Amino acid sequence: MFSSRLSSASLMVSATLMTVLFTGCQSKPSTQSISLLVPKSVNQTQSSLANKVMVTSENSTSELSQIKAKAQSGDKEAEYDLAHMYFNGIEVERDYEAAFKWFEASARQDYEYAQEMMALIYYSGYGVPQDYSKAKQWLDLLINKDNAKAQNLLATMYTYGQGVEQDHQKAVMLLRLAAEQSYKEAQFNLGLAYEKGRGVEQDYEQAFYWYYEAAKQSFPPASAKVIQFNQRQSADKPITDKKSVEILAMEGNAKAQTDLAGTFKRTENNNAMAIFWYQKAAEQGFMEAQYHLGLLYHQDDTQPHDYSKAKYWYNLACQSGHQTACQQLATLKTLKK
């Protein structure tokens, strides 16, 4: 069955929940995602699932029949897959009651992804009355399996006293367990706990560490925090600035890519990395990177000169209005190289 190719739910709650509580609670290793609070946004979801299970006009009926047959025979993965299809209205009429029925059947057979869904559905109150107590029952089962998503969500409940007595220290303990499994949402939330001094002594270095760990996994809220920390840091902590530049460069910021290239060139004399980052920025049309790339190929004596490449990049920078690049281009032309 194709269950292993489907993902479990990804809560799309308010901006606060997305960035502070248990952001983007993604699970099962695949591309499919369910929006618990925005059920109408399913066009992309439907397309993704259709591609994954190769449902076409010719075989969709047989695929669905096979899934239903297996689900009705008690196959827990098929029960989970069928629940997903009902939840998103994929190849069937959307039916939250049927979806819940099959999620629950699968979860009661100890299928972890279905148990995650049960916890998320009760926590969000979507399709069923919101019930933190029932959400916690499912989370407790997952906690015993060292499930990072469950640890992160239960930490949220302890942080805000949702169905449990508020306990910031328990929240931090759970967040640490999940963060140490490299679960980026928990890493972000643990960073937030350290920044606010919530459940642990306030510690900006620890906050930055966990934000940075999450940012390395391309988690935008964490990247924003890393950059924000950089703006607040004093000049005696350049490492923070370098990490911020790295994050921005990895996210495609041409200015940061140019700055990072310059750092590799100036402080490490690493031409290969300098060229790599200059070219990333230059290909985005950033004329300062185009100029410096031309300069490396033209005048850097630590590597073979390549006047053809130098002219190419000088020319692009010159066309964008970089006057020094225009002057260097004119110099190169007189060399007849």
Side-chain angles (χ1 to χ4, degrees):
M1 193 50 59
F2 59 83
S3 173
S4 63
R5 300 195 298 272
L6 299 177
S7 71
S8 97
S10 170
L11 277 183
M12 294 181 63
V13 293
S14 67
T16 302
L17 284 176
M18 284 294 289
T19 57
V20 177
L21 306 187
F22 75 143
T23 329
C25 195
Q26 298 163 354
S27 59
K28 209 172 177 185
S30 80
T31 59
Q32 169 71 6
S33 101
I34 289 180
S35 167
L36 289 181
L37 298 186
V38 193
K40 293 182 180 179
S41 303
V42 297
N43 290 338
Q44 185 175 357
T45 295
Q46 291 172 338
S47 174
S48 173
L49 180 58
N51 289 335
K52 285 292 177 185
V53 301
M54 295 186 295
V55 174
T56 67
S57 58
E58 296 178 356
N59 66 16
S60 60
T61 302
S62 61
E63 288 280 359
L64 178 59
S65 297
Q66 290 175 29
I67 295 166
K68 280 186 174 180
K70 285 200 171 187
Q72 288 165 353
S73 71
D75 183 298
K76 61 185 179 183
E77 293 191 16
E79 290 169 341
Y80 177 83
D81 293 339
L82 186 58
H84 262 292
M85 297 179 80
Y86 276 119
F87 199 94
N88 282 324
I90 299 171
E91 300 302 325
V92 293
E93 284 278 327
R94 182 178 293 150
D95 186 333
Y96 297 122
E97 185 177 340
F100 181 85
K101 167 192 167 183
W102 290 111
F103 277 135
E104 185 175 36
S106 179
R108 293 201 180 282
Q109 292 197 70
D110 203 35
Y111 194 53
E112 193 165 344
Y113 299 125
Q115 291 172 344
E116 290 173 6
M117 271 303 300
M118 293 299 293
L120 292 171
I121 287 173
Y122 276 123
Y123 177 85
S124 69
Y126 186 75
V128 297
Q130 188 177 51
D131 192 325
Y132 291 136
S133 176
K134 288 183 178 178
K136 187 176 182 299
Q137 289 174 16
W138 289 108
L139 290 174
D140 286 340
L141 287 175
L142 292 164
I143 294 294
N144 291 334
K145 300 175 182 179
D146 204 26
N147 183 293
K149 289 170 283 297
Q151 291 162 344
N152 187 56
L153 180 52
L154 188 54
T156 297
M157 294 175 69
Y158 277 116
T159 297
Y160 296 96
Q162 297 170 320
V164 294
E165 185 176 347
Q166 190 175 54
D167 190 327
H168 293 303
Q169 291 182 338
K170 279 187 179 179
V172 168
M173 178 192 72
L174 289 162
L175 288 174
R176 192 179 305 282
L177 289 172
E180 288 173 352
Q181 294 186 63
S182 298
Y183 188 59
K184 61 187 178 183
E185 288 82 0
Q187 291 173 334
F188 173 83
N189 290 336
L190 186 55
L192 195 65
Y194 273 112
E195 182 183 1
K196 303 295 184 183
R198 193 168 58 196
V200 4
E201 186 176 347
Q202 190 174 52
D203 187 329
Y204 291 122
E205 287 188 9
Q206 278 293 307
F208 181 84
Y209 171 81
W210 288 111
Y211 286 145
Y212 184 62
E213 289 300 302
K216 286 193 298 186
Q217 297 189 65
S218 301
F219 190 50
S223 300
K225 279 289 188 180
V226 169
I227 295 161
Q228 184 183 88
F229 262 55
N230 168 55
Q231 293 171 345
R232 294 203 308 242
Q233 289 295 316
S234 58
D236 63 342
K237 293 185 178 179
I239 187 63
T240 304
D241 177 64
K242 182 180 178 183
K243 287 183 176 181
S244 299
V245 170
E246 288 174 353
I247 293 295
L248 281 170
M250 287 187 288
E251 292 185 345
N253 184 290
K255 174 67 165 61
Q257 290 169 340
T258 303
D259 291 346
L260 187 57
T263 299
F264 276 115
K265 178 59 185 168
R266 289 189 307 273
T267 66
E268 300 180 28
N269 200 29
N270 188 332
N271 280 3
M273 289 302 294
I275 289 172
F276 173 82
W277 287 112
Y278 277 140
Q279 187 154 335
K280 287 284 187 184
E283 287 171 352
Q284 295 187 63
F286 195 65
M287 67 178 180
E288 196 65 29
Q290 292 168 339
Y291 164 70
H292 281 286
L293 199 51
L295 203 61
L296 268 173
Y297 287 123
H298 177 198
Q299 295 183 355
D300 196 295
D301 293 328
T302 63
Q303 65 175 32
H305 294 174
D306 189 326
Y307 295 117
S308 175
K309 288 182 179 178
K311 286 179 181 178
Y312 175 79
W313 291 112
Y314 279 152
N315 184 54
L316 287 179
C318 180
Q319 289 177 5
S320 296
H322 198 292
Q323 293 304 309
T324 308
C326 294
Q327 294 167 9
Q328 294 288 3
L329 182 61
T331 301
L332 264 182
K333 287 178 178 179
T334 62
L335 295 176
K336 297 182 179 179
K337 297 287 187 181

